[in-house]
Every structure is written in structure tokens, then in C-alpha cells.
Amino acid sequence: MPMLLVQGSFQLKDTQPDGDTVHFLADNMDDWSLVGGKNPVQLTGAGHAKLRLEGIDALETHYHGAHQPLQHGHAAAKELLKWLGFTNVQRDANEFVTASTPVSTPGYILTRGADVFGRVISLVGRGTPPGTSGTDISVGVPELKKTANHHLASAGLVYPTFYRSLFKDLRDELTHVAQQAQAAGKGLWPDDATTSGVKITGPSSITDDAVILPKLFRRLVDYLKLDMALTCFPAYLAGLEDLVTVLSTGERFTGMHALIEVTNGNTLRMTRPADDLLFDEK
């Protein structure tokens, strides 16, 4: 799988890193013009790119004023920053980093494009890169195993969440280590209620209590603000038209409504696990 290698440093000050996003400053700003795909990379005023770690999804710590159970969201964020080489990370009440040791750490990313928000979809590595910055290199499972993406999935701190930009061999490896973590009861997995079901009596059911796939959480947060019955949630999802394929069967759906069940008027579950789903980027 060819991916563009960009060398640079990870930056925390005045940002809100979580378990699957962090800011990155390229050593050569011209490298951003080499990123493929239809979406341009969006840079901050300081020249930082915001990274979205590919193949994984951490629990939300700040989504439109809402968060998932913070025990697991904070654990993923803490482990990511520790893995990147940061210690003594201090944050304010809004999750912004005010100080860290060191201020930045060296590393690299491997990418094939940006998402619709201009975030660079990346495999994240630390230290010396495995090639020359600004060039495409072949990325397989050995390279994946050296990334934060693989580390966080192995620790059970994130959900595997796949989009078409990630090749099958890399998906299979992330699925394998995530399933190992689940079987071992690591990280968030003992509390996961995505497929077993969660009773939703209000926003706190998903912000403070139940641990579910973050993509489903984000859809629920937006829906619950409409103050409508949960029984109408499938129709809401149908209208969003998320394109998703069930990997085990090859079925393709336009809308996540085909993958959820609402029972007793207030209990919601997904019918397929996260690692069996392949989403299209919008």
C-alpha cells in the first residue's frame, strides 16, 4: 500500500488532542501539497495540520459540548501522548493543553489524503521515519505495527473503525489485535455495549454511562438534541445516507439505520460489530 511519508513534529500547546487526533508540524511545508485525494489539507495559523488517526476511533472527550465516559476517552488520549514521548501534559477545563514536557516530539505520518474537514488521515509514527519525507513508501503490516494506531488498538483503548482509504491487509491486522484485546478484557472492551444494547433515557445514558462506538455516539448526540423519540432514530439515520458495507457478507447499505435495532422504545443496539463495517468517506 503506497502512502506519502511526511516528517515533522507533534505539537500540543493550545490544542485539544484526544485518543485519535493530534496536531503535527511538517519539517517541509511543501510536503502538504503532495497529499493526494479530493480534500485539501487545512492548516492552522501556526502551520499545524490536525491528524485523524486512520483505522481507529477513540471515545469522544469533546464533541459539540458532549463527551463519552471520560475514563476511557482520557485513557486513550493519555496513552497516545505518552507513546509519542510527552510527559507532564497539563490541560485546562476545556481540554486544551497549556503545557507539556517536552514542547514537541519528532515523528512522521503516513497518509493517502485528508477528510472533509481537512484533517490528515494518518498512520502515526515516532522517531526516525522509514524513508524520505515527501516520497511515497510501501506500507504493510510491519510498518503498521510501528504506529500509534496499532498500539492503541492492541491496548483495547479504541474501536477499529474502517474507511475505504485503508487497505485490507492493514484492516485485517487492526481487527486481529482489537479482537485479541477484546478477548483479554483490555481497555474499553469490558464496558462495550455497542452490540449488546443500551437503554437510552436521556443524553447522560451515552455521555456518562454506556460505552458505544463513537460514530454511533456522534449520531445520537446530534439526534437527541432534536428531542424526538428514539423510535424515530432509524429514520434520522436513513436521511444521513452514510454509505457502509458489511465486510462479512458484502452487503452494502445507504444509511446506518440498516445496522441498528430499537426495542422496547428505548433500547438501542448495533447488529454488527465495528470491525465488520467499512464506511465510505463523504
Side-chain angles (χ1 to χ4, degrees), residues 23 77 80 264:
H23 281 227
L80 171 60
N264 300 322

Side-chain angles (χ1 to χ4, degrees), residues 1 11 72 80 94 113-114 123 148 151 174:
M1 177 178 181
Q11 309 284 324
H72 296 300
L80 171 60
N94 295 313
L123 300 178
H151 175 72
L174 288 174

Side-chain angles (χ1 to χ4, degrees), residues 7 27 54 66 68 73 79-81 111 123 132 138 143 161 183 192 194 199 202 210 240 251 257 272 277 282:
Q7 185 173 355
D27 289 345
E54 183 157 23
Q68 293 185 261
E79 186 62 25
L80 171 60
L81 300 187
T111 183
L123 300 178
T132 302
S138 179
E143 290 74 27
T161 303
D192 173 46
T194 304
K199 184 176 181 180
L240 295 179
E251 295 173 285
H257 63 288
R272 301 303 308 167
L277 303 178
K282 287 191 173 182

Side-chain angles (χ1 to χ4, degrees), residues 30-171:
D30 291 339
D31 285 350
W32 296 128
S33 66
L34 304 175
V35 176
K38 62 182 181 180
N39 300 311
V41 175
Q42 297 294 317
L43 302 178
T44 69
H48 299 173
K50 188 173 184 179
L51 308 181
R52 191 189 88 194
L53 272 65
E54 183 157 23
I56 63 173
D57 206 356
L59 267 64
E60 296 286 351
T61 57
H62 48 272
Y63 175 76
H64 294 179
H67 60 74
Q68 293 185 261
L70 289 173
Q71 171 191 354
H72 296 300
H74 284 163
K78 182 178 180 180
E79 186 62 25
L80 171 60
L81 300 187
K82 177 184 176 182
W83 190 89
L84 291 174
F86 292 101
T87 61
N88 192 29
V89 178
Q90 301 176 36
R91 298 178 185 253
D92 65 19
N94 295 313
E95 302 276 347
F96 283 94
V97 172
T98 58
S100 67
T101 303
V103 174
S104 64
T105 61
Y108 63 92
I109 66 169
L110 300 164
T111 183
R112 298 183 72 225
D115 66 13
V116 293
F117 303 107
R119 299 177 300 180
V120 185
I121 306 168
S122 308
L123 300 178
V124 166
R126 60 188 177 186
T128 304
T132 302
S133 187
T135 65
D136 286 346
I137 68 168
S138 179
V139 178
V141 171
E143 290 74 27
L144 174 65
K145 288 183 175 180
K146 298 176 182 178
T147 67
N149 313 54
H150 189 275
H151 175 72
L152 291 168
S154 299
L157 295 173
V158 295
Y159 284 91
T161 303
F162 303 137
Y163 291 84
R164 291 191 177 275
S165 55
L166 190 65
F167 280 17
K168 183 180 183 301
D169 61 334
L170 306 187
R171 292 200 315 263

Side-chain angles (χ1 to χ4, degrees), residues 233-247:
F233 185 52
Y236 172 81
L237 289 178
L240 295 179
E241 298 185 341
D242 290 295
L243 298 176
V244 57
T245 300
V246 178
L247 292 169

